[in-house]
Amino acid sequence: MTPRRDKIATIFVACLAELMVAIDMTVLHLAIPALTAQLGATSEELLWIADVYGFAMGGLLVTMGNLGDRFGRRRMLIIGATTFAGGSLLAAYAPSVWMLVGARALLGVAGAAVLPSATSLLRAVFTTQRARTAAIGASSGVSAAGFAIGPIVGGLLLDHFWWGTVFLVNVPVTAVVLLAARMVPESRSSRKLRLDPLSVLLSIVGIIGIVYAFKSVFYAGPWSLDVLLAFAVGGICLIVFARRQHRLEEPLIDLELFRNRGFAASVGSNLISVFTMSAFALINSQYFQLVLGWDPLRSGLAFVPGALAALLAGGVLAAKVVWQFGRAWAVSGGLALAALGFGLYGAVTTNSDFTLVMISQVAFGAGAGLTLTVTGDTILGTVPRDRAGAAASISTTAYELGGSLGIAVVGSVLTAVYQARLVLPDSVPADLAARVQESFSATAAVAAGLPEPVASAVRLAAEQSFVGGIRASMLGSAVVMVVLSLTALRTLRRVPKLIENPLDTPGREADQPR
C-alpha cells in the first residue's frame, strides 16, 4: 500500500507538471505583439511558433508513454522536466524566429515525456476508483485551468519584462518538480514490454505528416504538392502502423481498446473538444490587447474567472457530478457549457462590456474542466495498470493534436474572415495595406505612421474585420460543441458511474509502485 506522503507528492508533481506543460501552450499568446515587433515574425511564422510545440508533442506522446511503462514513469518525468528547463532557456534567448521555433519543438519533445508519465503515475498510485477519479480530477482541473493561467502569467511578466521571460518562468517550476519527484514512487510494467522501432517511426511520421498537411492546407491550398504529399505519407504510415499493431504481441497502441465504447468515445470527445477550446485563449488574448487596447497585465488578469471555473469544475465538482448523474450526462453537460461560452463570445463587438466576456469565460472554463476530467478518468479507468502509460499517451495525443489543429484551423478561419472583410481607405500606401491585410497584429504599427483621420480609419476597419472573424470562429465552435454534446450523451450512456480496475494480464501481477 502506498504511504499517504507518497500519494500527496504524486498528486502535487502530476498537477504541477501538467500545469507547466499546459501553461506553455498559452503563455505565448500575450507575447505575440512583442514578437511581431522585435523578431519581425509574419503571421505564418507566428502560427509555427504556436503550433510546433503541440505538433512535436503529439508525434512523440505514444512513444514516450510506452517508454515510461517500460523504463519507469518517474524516470521519464524527470528526463522530460530537465529537458523542459533547457528548452525554456533556449526559447527565452532565441535571437531569431526559427531559433524560437526550434526551441519550441524541443519543449514539445520534453512535454511528450512529461504528460503521459504524470498521468500514468496517478493511475499506478491510486488504485481505487473514487481515489483515482479525485486525483485525476485535480490534475485535469489544473490542466484545463492552464489554458487561462498561461495568459495571466504572461501578462504579469510582460508588464515588467521582455517577451523571453514567459519561457524563463518554467525554469524554477521544473526545479520544484524535480525536487518533489524524489518522493514519488517509481512504477513500471511488471512485464518486459518490447518497443517496436518500426512502429515508433511509423507513428511519428504518420501523425506529424497528417498534422502538417492540415496546417499547410490553409496557406498553400488543398491541391498543393506539399499538402498532398504530406497527406499521402502520413496516411500511408498510419494505415501500415494500425495493421502492424494487430500482428504484434506487444503493440505500441492496443487498438482493441477502441472496441470499448467508453474509451473510444472519451478519446474522441477529448480530441474534438480541445480542437475548439484551444483557440479560445489565443483569440481572447488578441481581443483584449489589440481590439480593446488593454496592456498585458490587465489582459492576463481578465483570464482569472475562467481559470477559477476550470479548477472548481474539474477538481471539486466533477466526481460529484459523475456520482449524481453518470458519466454521459457529466461529459455532455460540460460540452454544453463550453458551447454556451463560445456562443456568448460570438456576440462580442469592438467595445463590448467585460461582463459578457467574463460570463463566456466562466461557462467555457467550467465546461472544459468538467469534460476533460471525466473523459480522462474514463480513459485511464478502462485499461490495465501495466499499460497506464500507453493509455495516457493516447489520451494526451488526442488532447495535443486537438489543441494544435484547433489553433491552426480556427486561427486560419479567423484570419480568412478578417482578410475577406477588410476594406482599407484608398489613401493607404500599397505596402502598408499589404501588412495590415496579412496580419491584424501589424495594424497598430502601421497606423502609427499614418496621418489622421486615415490612421483611425485603418484601425477601425481592421478591428471590425477581426471581430467579425472572432464571431464566425466562435459561433462555428459552438455548433461543433453542441453536436459533440449530443453525441457524447448517446455514446457514453452505457458507461457505468463506477469503473472497477480491469484485470491487468491474466496470470500476471499488475505493476506496482516501487
Side-chain angles (χ1 to χ4, degrees), residues 423-425 452-462:
V423 179
L424 297 174
E452 292 292 354
V454 177
S456 296
V458 168
R459 281 192 293 267
L460 180 61

Side-chain angles (χ1 to χ4, degrees), residues 301-317:
L301 292 176
F303 283 85
V304 170
L308 292 176
L311 282 169
L312 180 64
V316 179
L317 299 179

Side-chain angles (χ1 to χ4, degrees), residues 445-508:
V446 170
L450 295 173
E452 292 292 354
V454 177
S456 296
V458 168
R459 281 192 293 267
L460 180 61
E463 288 173 1
Q464 289 177 338
S465 299
F466 186 75
V467 169
I470 290 177
R471 287 197 293 267
S473 58
M474 289 295 96
L475 292 176
S477 296
V479 171
V480 171
M481 296 301 270
V482 168
V483 173
L484 184 58
S485 174
L486 296 174
T487 303
L489 188 61
R490 181 174 182 274
T491 55
L492 293 172
R493 69 183 186 277
R494 294 182 182 176
V495 179
K497 297 178 183 179
L498 182 65
I499 302 177
E500 297 294 347
N501 292 331
L503 294 176
D504 288 271
T505 302
R508 299 178 188 265

Side-chain angles (χ1 to χ4, degrees), residues 409-461:
V409 175
V410 178
S412 297
V413 169
L414 190 155
T415 300
V417 174
Y418 164 74
Q419 292 175 343
R421 294 188 176 188
L422 181 63
V423 179
L424 297 174
D426 295 334
S427 55
V428 179
D431 59 329
L432 297 181
R435 287 181 61 192
V436 177
Q437 182 77 27
E438 180 190 18
S439 172
F440 175 61
S441 58
T443 301
V446 170
L450 295 173
E452 292 292 354
V454 177
S456 296
V458 168
R459 281 192 293 267
L460 180 61

Side-chain angles (χ1 to χ4, degrees), residues 226-237:
D226 286 349
V227 172
L228 294 175
L229 186 62
F231 265 126
V233 172
I236 291 171
C237 284

Side-chain angles (χ1 to χ4, degrees), residues 96-110:
S96 66
V97 169
W98 292 107
M99 282 290 290
L100 179 57
V101 170
R104 291 278 289 169
L106 181 60
L107 285 168
V109 173

